[in-house]
Amino acid sequence: MVLFKGIGASIAIAAYLLFLYYSLQSSSYKRTEIEATFLQAWKGYAAHGWDADIYGPLSKTTSNMYGSKAKPLGWIIIDSIDTMLLMYNSTTSSSNKNLFKHELVKVESWVTRDLDYDIDASVSLFETTIRMLGGLLSAYYLSNELLLGDPTVYLNKAKDLADRMLPAFNTSTGIPYSSINLHTGASQKNHVDEGASSTAEFTTLQLEFKYLSAITADNRYWKAVEKAYKPLYEQNDLIKKYKGLVSIYTYPDTGTFRGSNIRLGSRGDSFYEYLLKQYLQTHERIYYDLYRVSVEGIKENLLSKSNPSGLTYIGEKERGLSGPLSSKMDHLVCFMGGLLAMGATEGLPISEARNQQFWDQKREEDWTLAQELTYTCYQMYHQVPSGLAPEIVVFNDKYASGIVGAWQSADGDFFIKPADSHNLQRPETVESIMFLYHLTKEQKYRDWGWEIFQSFRRHSGVNCKKSDTECAYTSITNVLSEPPSKGDNMESFWLAETLKYLHLLFQDDVDLTGLVFNTEAHPFPVIPEQNLKAHNLVTGWHL
Ligand SMILES: *[C@@H]1O[C@H](CO)[C@@H](O)[C@H](O)[C@H]1NC(C)=O
Ligand SMILES: *[C@@H]1O[C@H](CO)[C@@H](O)[C@H](O)[C@H]1NC(C)=O
């Protein structure tokens, strides 16, 4: 009997441990953990920084984008709404569901009563479009879809904001200036760089304004944002001379490039992203063709492999296409794995995509490259002892074989310079991992994402075991120090992008053919063809 009991108890314990093991591995458990982290970061902000645009979670200090006395733009709140809606929808925890609902009610009433875009200050057209207009539009879309709250609250604010930004497009070329006064409508060129705009900035407004046109049946927004392309392509002979690769600065009055610095990091990145995503949003062929030219340009001119392990990376051409390839790569470039994967498959699982008419050798190459780059970006976390990637790495090539004062990865493949060793809780790597997972269903991608999430939680969280409102998630000033040293700022994209992509990674049924994420991870639905036709939304330019 005793023996039997003992065996019975052991079996019960073993079964329990097995059950525990599998529950801790389960995707719904991991989603719940990511939700808990989101809620901690959000509650700390709501308790100590509510409605401020800029929040220092360690000092609990706040400021607004345009001065501490100026009205807030809603930088953190608006950027976070759709993450809460998505988590609300797919959580398996009823207490989290209630918490999200409660917070969303609070946010909606703040947007209704307090958010006022009649602000007499010059705001960044690009940042305000991707974060605020994008956030309001996806809040509209998802609250409508999920029947939660009043979607028109978000739509009305989005229209008001877009109308205030439209005068920025009234330039001789149609290329907007970089900032706009939301009260007077006066637009201004960049204060530095001889007034040149960042090329990625004026080519990363299109998804938002086009979606607004589709839901309001007002094509003014669509027309305004598409004007930038013709001068950009024609004035620079972009396809023939530049192989579809843009210099990172453009003079808005002429459309010509300033300088010849070509890179897929800051100021270049989302030019490429929005070519493909406009195609995915409306299925107008011209944008796929332009994307294709650029991707071939990247393959021919910017790719290389590190020593000794052969990690594939995208380098920079600081002195133009004919100049040498620099082996520096911003973490920002890590979005490219996901983008190439979406470009190859159009959101279909890879096994189905390969059976489509559209599949060809070029897409097969893109697909291989997508996997290689995502692996490289994962290694930028995995090989750093803290598990967190820096802002920039320099890969080991024949020129960069020894950089004075830089840290070198154990295998020798990349360097981190002291000035580049910070981590702003950026999303691009987990973004690519999320896309690759849903297109392949390969478990390794979830493992990578979970590992990165745990490193973020371990090193960027402060006081999170104490209480939710005391908990802070903050940027890291040095991923190499032990423990990594903390900064005092929580970027809105931690809530808008990083935690959203991680949560989507552990959701089981994400249909990537029906959604397009803007560059700030705000999802919009694909616009059906009949909707485009009904409102006469059609590309009005050609080369
Ligand atoms: C809501 O969640 C369900 C279940 O996970 C999912 O099938 C659906 O696509 C989600 N809806 C949205 C809009 O994300
Ligand atoms: C555009 O600019 C021109 C010239 O500065 C001005 O006359 C016109 O009223 C402006 N249009 C809009 C819609 O702002």
Side-chain angles (χ1 to χ4, degrees):
M1 279 310 274
V2 173
L3 184 69
F4 182 73
K5 253 194 201 157
I7 291 174
S10 315
I11 291 175
I13 289 169
Y16 176 72
L17 289 177
L18 209 62
F19 166 77
L20 202 64
Y21 174 77
Y22 281 107
S23 354
L24 294 181
Q25 296 298 316
S26 77
S27 56
S28 74
Y29 165 77
K30 289 179 177 167
R31 280 210 308 283
T32 312
E33 291 292 292
I34 296 162
E35 288 154 20
T37 296
F38 179 96
L39 283 164
Q40 287 182 312
W42 173 262
K43 282 183 191 167
Y45 168 73
H48 307 290
W50 179 254
D51 100 0
D53 294 331
I54 299 169
Y55 176 50
L58 298 188
S59 59
K60 303 188 170 58
T61 48
T62 61
S63 180
N64 286 329
M65 288 310 276
Y66 302 96
S68 55
K69 296 229 172 68
K71 287 186 267 190
L73 284 170
W75 219 243
I76 295 178
I77 298 176
I78 301 297
D79 231 9
S80 304
I81 301 173
D82 59 4
T83 304
M84 289 196 269
L85 283 161
L86 288 170
M87 289 182 174
Y88 160 83
N89 175 52
S90 70
T91 183
T92 50
S93 148
S94 55
S95 70
N96 283 359
K97 200 172 186 85
N98 285 332
L99 283 168
F100 285 121
K101 191 166 176 178
H102 181 259
E103 295 304 309
L104 284 161
V105 169
K106 197 163 89 185
V107 165
E108 189 184 299
S109 83
W110 180 81
V111 173
T112 312
R113 287 201 318 248
D114 299 322
L115 180 60
D116 178 8
Y117 283 125
D118 190 3
I119 296 175
D120 192 3
S122 201
V123 307
S124 157
L125 180 69
F126 161 72
E127 295 285 355
T128 308
T129 296
I130 64 166
R131 302 194 200 208
M132 298 301 94
L133 185 58
L136 288 164
L137 289 170
S138 61
Y140 161 78
Y141 160 61
L142 287 172
S143 58
N144 200 27
E145 196 78 2
L146 303 173
L147 307 173
L148 188 70
D150 180 0
T152 60
V153 165
Y154 302 118
L155 180 58
N156 290 338
K157 276 297 168 209
K159 268 196 290 197
D160 174 56
L161 178 58
D163 289 339
R164 292 176 187 281
M165 293 195 286
L166 267 186
F169 297 89
N170 188 17
T171 63
S172 57
T173 55
I175 296 177
Y177 292 168
S178 37
S179 49
I180 174 93
N181 183 304
L182 294 179
H183 176 68
T184 64
S187 66
Q188 275 179 331
K189 288 185 199 171
N190 201 349
H191 296 300
V192 289
D193 307 314
E194 299 174 294
S197 303
S198 289
T199 308
E201 293 197 2
F202 66 82
T203 51
T204 310
L205 310 162
Q206 286 71 19
L207 291 180
E208 297 79 0
F209 281 78
K210 284 182 166 185
Y211 179 48
L212 183 59
S213 273
I215 55 185
T216 57
D218 178 349
N219 68 9
R220 285 179 307 143
Y221 309 110
W222 175 296
K223 286 199 169 143
V225 291
E226 70 169 7
K227 280 196 250 161
Y229 287 104
K230 201 173 166 71
L232 181 66
Y233 274 87
E234 286 186 352
Q235 293 306 310
N236 300 294
D237 197 6
L238 186 51
I239 292 180
K240 284 213 194 75
K241 189 165 161 216
Y242 280 88
K243 313 291 178 203
L245 302 178
V246 292
S247 159
I248 59 173
Y249 291 107
T250 303
Y251 293 110
D253 289 335
T254 57
T256 50
F257 289 144
R258 172 179 189 267
S260 47
N261 192 347
I262 292 170
R263 66 168 180 237
L264 267 69
S266 63
R267 304 181 193 281
D269 47 7
S270 47
F271 161 76
Y272 307 93
E273 180 182 354
Y274 271 36
L275 287 180
L276 179 73
K277 288 184 173 177
Q278 285 177 90
Y279 168 70
L280 296 175
Q281 182 183 37
T282 64
H283 293 101
E284 287 181 291
R285 184 76 201 180
I286 180 168
Y287 294 102
Y288 182 83
D289 293 341
L290 296 176
Y291 167 77
R292 173 54 54 209
V293 170
S294 293
V295 169
E296 295 310 308
I298 292 168
K299 287 182 198 163
E300 276 161 37
N301 297 285
L302 302 182
L303 287 185
S304 191
K305 288 189 193 281
S306 67
N307 285 321
S309 320
L311 297 175
T312 302
Y313 64 87
I314 297 181
E316 301 185 355
K317 290 265 185 174
E318 284 150 17
R319 280 178 272 155
L321 271 188
S322 55
L325 184 71
S326 146
S327 64
K328 163 176 172 272
M329 188 169 102
D330 293 0
H331 184 274
L332 286 168
V333 179
C334 288
F335 78 100
M336 272 306 286
L339 191 82
L340 287 162
M342 283 298 288
T345 61
E346 305 198 8
L348 293 169
I350 180 63
S351 52
E352 275 180 54
R354 282 204 175 103
N355 293 327
Q356 303 297 310
Q357 287 271 314
F358 63 54
W359 196 259
D360 59 17
Q361 188 52 39
K362 296 218 153 58
R363 289 188 189 232
E364 192 66 52
E365 286 167 20
D366 293 3
W367 176 254
T368 303
L369 185 54
Q371 295 171 94
E372 289 176 3
L373 287 170
T374 305
Y375 177 72
T376 299
C377 289
Y378 164 62
Q379 293 301 323
M380 286 161 55
Y381 287 76
H382 185 66
Q383 295 195 22
V384 176
S386 63
L388 289 176
E391 180 74 359
I392 300 171
V393 302
V394 179
F395 285 97
N396 189 356
D397 67 359
K398 58 180 183 290
Y399 305 107
S401 52
I403 301 178
V404 182
W407 177 91
Q408 188 169 16
S409 62
D411 293 346
D413 285 277
F414 61 90
F415 300 91
I416 302 174
K417 295 182 187 175
D420 303 334
S421 65
H422 51 294
N423 176 305
L424 305 180
Q425 306 167 287
R426 285 197 189 278
E428 292 77 17
T429 297
V430 294
E431 169 181 348
S432 285
I433 287 174
M434 186 282 290
F435 283 110
L436 267 294
Y437 173 75
H438 288 293
L439 299 172
T440 60
K441 300 288 183 216
E442 283 179 42
Q443 179 61 30
K444 71 176 180 197
Y445 292 114
R446 278 188 165 172
D447 295 343
W448 298 355
W450 187 245
E451 180 186 319
I452 292 171
F453 170 66
Q454 286 183 302
S455 302
F456 273 128
R457 200 160 54 169
R458 189 170 306 129
H459 298 302
S460 76
V462 179
N463 287 337
C464 295
K465 294 216 169 86
K466 263 196 199 159
S467 82
D468 284 2
T469 52
E470 283 310 299
C471 171
Y473 279 93
T474 193
S475 56
I476 301 287
T477 51
N478 184 357
V479 297
L480 297 171
S481 61
E482 282 185 56
S485 50
K486 310 224 178 348
D488 186 22
N489 186 44
M490 179 180 73
E491 292 284 348
S492 68
F493 49 69
W494 166 243
L495 301 173
E497 302 191 67
T498 310
L499 290 172
K500 179 190 289 145
Y501 283 132
L502 281 164
H503 196 258
L504 286 167
L505 172 64
F506 291 99
Q507 208 169 299
D508 292 325
D509 55 350
V510 178
D511 175 10
L512 293 174
T513 62
L515 288 179
V516 184
F517 292 86
N518 91 338
T519 194
E520 187 77 3
H522 296 305
F524 307 145
V526 168
I527 308 173
E529 203 186 331
Q530 67 267 26
N531 188 335
L532 295 172
K533 284 206 176 121
H535 306 313
N536 196 22
L537 299 175
V538 60
T539 292
W541 64 277
H542 54 86
L543 290 175

